[in-house]
Structures are given as C-alpha cells and as structure tokens.
Amino acid sequence: MASEYIPAKVWTIDTETGGTWASINRPTAGARHEQALPVGEHPLQLYSMGTPNGQKVTIMLEELLALGMTDAQYNAHLIRIGDGDQFSSGFVAVNPNSKIPALVDTSVNPPINVFESGHILLYLAEKFGCLLPKDQATKAVAMNWLFWLQGSAPYLGGGFGHFYAYAPEKFEYPINRFTMETKRQLHLLDEYLAENHYLAGDEYSIADIATWPWYGNLVLGNLYDAAEFLDVESYPNLLRWAREVSDRHAVQRGRIVNKSWGEEWEQVLERHSADDIDQALAKQPK
C-alpha cells in the first residue's frame, strides 16, 4: 500500500510530476524564449493546435466562410504545445496565459488580440453577426451553454482525460472521481437534447460549436479512446446531436485544421487558403 502524501507547508517543485506534459509544466508564467509569430495575408491570424479547444475556433471560422462571410478568411498557424511554442515571446504577447487558441484581428487598427476559446467564438459571432441568436431569450440560452461548456470541459479534459489517458499511473480515486462527473455531464446533455434539437433550441449556435469538439468527439470515439468505458450508447440523444453536428461540412473542415496526428487526410498542419483543406480531404478514403 502506497504511503499517504502529506503536503508541505510551502509547496515547491523538486521533481517532474511525470506524464505526457511534464516537460512543459512549470509553476511560473511568461515567455521562455524569444520568437516572433508568423503573420499571413488574411484579416484573421489564428495561432493554435487541433485539440478540442483549437477545433472550436477553426470550426467557427469555417462556418462563417460557409455563410459567405469573406472577411472571415484566416491564416491558421500551428503552435506545437508539446514543444512549448506557446511560451514564445510572440505568443505570450497575444495571450499572456500561454494557452491555445489565440486570435489576432488585423482588420482593425490597432489589431485586437483575443484569447480564451469561448471569448474568441463570442468575438467572432458579434463581429460578423452570425451564429448567435438575435432573440434575447434564445441568446441567453446559448450563452448559458457556452459558459457551461467553458466551466465543465476542464473536468473532462484536465480531470477525466488526464487521469484516464495521460497520467503516468492509473489511480482509482481520481479516475472514479472524474468519471462520475463526466457521466453526470453526459447525462445532463442527453436529457436536455431529448427536448431540444441544438443547445439553444432550434438554432445552431456558438454553444454547439464550443461543445461538440469536447463532448461530440468523446461520444463519437475520437477522444481519449473512452467511448466504451463511458458506455456512450446509453446517451442516444447526445449521440444524435453529435452525429448531426459532425455531418456539417464546416465541422468536417474545421476539425482537421492545425491537426498533426491521425490519418494523413485529417492533418492540415496550417491553413492559409481553402485549398489546404480541400487537398487534405481529397485524400480521404471513399
């Protein structure tokens, strides 16, 4: 039986914690090396990686382009978080929190830096007047679920995902603790989607765009290889929603941008024109 961990009176780090992200985790913020960010030709510059949080923004941008918003053209630059690109001086100047995604709107002078994925979705929705309900009551519902996602996903990612998939050792207590919360969240979504087509009711919105990369990917078997473990078939309404959102053309395009793993056809390391995505999707097996 392992000995009980007794926290020190003043915490200091004297050994690596282990696990997938041990090499980049530190108890201090700020830049760790000097490096400017690349800047492309389009109005919007995105610095990201194709994780669920990164997918939120690329799906949003592809949805805007599908709606004919030509000013939503963007350059998506890959930030390899495992290599510490998010700690460059250029990235920290855009997002002092050193987390992807980060967006720079160069269509205005001076350019506007936007960070936190939920805020980026809201910023783009308000900028282009799309994908956020106009009716005050329905907008409030969409915002309820957007903020729910921003608060709940860390329990799925940093909680369940970390201890189930990434931690150097599998411990019963944290896995059970965060599995319980994850299943509660899945049940919540399933119950709600039994009565609502989308998260804001009948209207597809940024609430769906924010939520699908986490909970849609999870129940579709694309996240943590945990679909069987979580018995996702017991959430039929959530699965219906996840599959329907997955079938959207913009979602299929946005989810592969800044992705550096998986099948060849779903790896678009950087996006500088629509052709970058088109060429990748053309390789998809029929």
Side-chain angles (χ1 to χ4, degrees):
M1 181 176 179
S3 60
E4 182 181 4
Y5 171 63
I6 301 175
K9 290 183 178 180
V10 178
W11 185 87
T12 58
I13 185 167
D14 54 6
T15 60
E16 282 195 351
T17 56
T20 302
W21 307 109
S23 64
I24 63 170
N25 289 337
R26 297 182 188 176
T28 54
R32 300 179 188 173
H33 62 275
E34 291 293 321
Q35 185 175 348
L37 291 175
V39 180
E41 64 179 352
H42 295 307
L44 300 171
Q45 301 296 305
L46 177 66
Y47 303 95
S48 190
M49 191 172 180
T51 65
N53 283 334
Q55 287 181 348
K56 294 177 193 176
V57 181
T58 47
I59 289 171
M60 177 69 174
L61 290 165
E62 290 297 323
E63 292 281 10
L64 290 170
L65 291 171
L67 290 169
M69 301 295 157
T70 56
D71 288 343
Q73 283 290 349
Y74 67 102
N75 297 92
H77 308 278
L78 177 61
I79 299 296
R80 296 184 184 271
I81 59 177
D83 294 343
D85 291 350
Q86 69 275 30
F87 300 110
S88 73
S89 56
F91 191 92
V92 171
V94 176
N95 181 3
N97 194 40
S98 293
K99 303 288 185 181
I100 63 97
L103 180 78
V104 180
D105 183 355
T106 68
S107 70
V108 294
N109 189 19
I112 296 175
N113 299 336
V114 191
F115 61 91
E116 287 299 318
S117 56
H119 181 213
I120 296 174
L121 296 186
L122 180 59
Y123 177 86
L124 292 171
E126 292 181 336
K127 178 180 177 70
F128 292 100
C130 296
L131 299 166
L132 185 62
K134 303 294 191 294
D135 172 73
Q136 184 177 11
T138 311
K139 178 182 177 181
V141 176
M143 296 301 291
N144 286 341
W145 285 104
L146 176 65
F147 277 77
W148 173 85
L149 180 280
Q150 295 299 115
S152 296
Y155 289 96
L156 171 56
F160 173 78
H162 176 77
F163 288 105
Y164 179 79
Y166 297 135
E169 298 175 270
K170 294 194 185 305
F171 292 107
E172 182 178 4
Y173 174 77
I175 291 175
N176 284 346
R177 166 70 179 86
F178 289 109
T179 299
M180 182 80 73
E181 174 58 15
T182 296
K183 287 185 70 66
R184 187 195 70 80
Q185 294 173 1
L186 296 177
H187 185 251
L188 168 67
L189 288 166
D190 188 69
E191 291 283 292
Y192 181 79
L193 289 166
E195 304 294 333
N196 296 274
H197 198 83
Y198 295 113
L199 289 177
D202 295 330
E203 189 173 344
Y204 179 74
S205 72
I206 57 174
D208 303 286
I209 294 171
T211 305
W212 184 89
W214 282 106
Y215 296 89
N217 272 324
L218 182 69
V219 299
L220 294 176
N222 301 326
L223 190 62
Y224 305 135
D225 194 24
E228 182 178 1
F229 178 73
L230 294 170
D231 186 24
V232 299
E233 294 296 330
S234 64
Y235 308 107
N237 306 300
L238 177 57
L239 277 167
R240 184 273 308 162
W241 168 85
R243 289 167 179 152
E244 184 171 329
V245 173
S246 179
D247 286 341
R248 294 180 67 89
H249 186 56
V251 173
Q252 294 171 10
R253 295 175 67 83
R255 77 171 192 85
I256 65 175
V257 176
N258 291 147
K259 196 162 181 276
S260 58
W261 62 93
E263 301 296 330
E264 181 183 3
W265 64 266
E266 58 180 356
Q267 294 188 44
V268 179
L269 299 184
E270 301 211 337
R271 187 270 189 203
H272 301 293
S273 74
D275 288 344
D276 295 326
I277 302 176
D278 294 338
Q279 290 170 11
L281 290 174
K283 301 174 184 176
Q284 184 176 6
K286 303 301 182 183

